[in-house]
Amino acid sequence: MKKIIALLASVLLIALISGCGAKSFSADKLTVSEYNDAEMNAEVSLYIKQKTVTDETEEAALELINSTDRDFSYDAAQRLEVRLSDGKWYVVDDKQDYIIMSILTLPANGTAEDMFYFDGHYDKLPAGSYRMVKTLTDTDGNTALAAAEFDIR
């Protein structure tokens, strides 16, 4: 009887351990990014301030750098995309279905800092290539895309 209980406990433990890892993404469950073929603006850059992002990272500090003589505005929404094996970017769904509506300004030839939150927004992220994307608009209505790419290994 002790052997059977020990065997069942071992099987249960193995099942629990193997189920703890992050699951990989499937293209049929994600939306293809409309920015796949879009060119990222070279005059407005987005950088992740910390050196590493892991599957345990709860938040990341971002820096936007505007190298133009135009002011840009952007919203507080965050967007995370993952590149799958087909080479395309896909939008990773945010678990929160609301955002605080606020418009932020990136001044001409200036910088702005922002935070990107993983905790509470996404499940544990599996290994892969990711990018954070910000859409900015100048006073004439022209848009600029800025992205910061990172890998989780």
Side-chain angles (χ1 to χ4, degrees):
M1 184 67 167
K2 288 182 180 180
K3 289 181 181 180
I4 292 174
I5 292 173
L7 179 63
L8 288 174
S10 298
V11 170
L12 180 62
L13 185 60
I14 290 171
L16 287 173
I17 291 172
S18 65
C20 290
K23 295 176 175 41
S24 62
F25 291 111
S26 173
D28 61 337
K29 296 187 180 187
L30 297 176
T31 305
V32 176
S33 172
E34 66 271 26
Y35 303 135
N36 262 309
D37 298 323
E39 187 173 321
M40 295 299 146
N41 188 306
E43 298 173 325
V44 179
S45 306
L46 179 64
Y47 296 99
I48 302 171
K49 293 181 79 172
Q50 61 208 62
K51 297 206 184 295
T52 59
V53 176
T54 70
D55 61 346
E56 300 295 323
T57 300
E58 293 184 2
E59 62 187 30
L62 305 177
E63 183 173 34
L64 283 157
I65 300 174
N66 183 357
S67 302
T68 73
D69 58 356
R70 302 181 318 269
D71 290 343
F72 284 90
S73 60
Y74 60 100
D75 61 25
Q78 60 182 49
R79 180 183 179 115
L80 181 65
E81 296 182 352
V82 60
R83 186 186 324 227
L84 298 184
S85 59
D86 62 3
K88 293 180 184 175
W89 290 102
Y90 291 82
V91 179
V92 179
D93 292 327
D94 191 331
K95 292 189 321 185
Q96 290 190 354
D97 55 358
Y98 65 90
I99 59 167
I100 297 172
M101 293 302 294
S102 60
I103 301 298
L104 306 165
T105 301
L106 177 60
N109 296 305
T111 62
E113 292 190 3
D114 201 1
M115 292 301 291
F116 192 94
Y117 299 98
F118 295 95
D119 189 39
H121 288 265
Y122 307 100
D123 292 324
K124 186 172 179 160
L125 297 173
S129 295
Y130 295 86
R131 71 179 179 181
M132 300 167 192
V133 180
K134 287 282 185 189
T135 305
L136 303 101
T137 306
D138 69 11
T139 53
D140 295 330
N142 300 313
T143 60
L145 293 174
E149 294 185 23
F150 63 96
D151 292 326
I152 293 179
R153 297 282 170 232

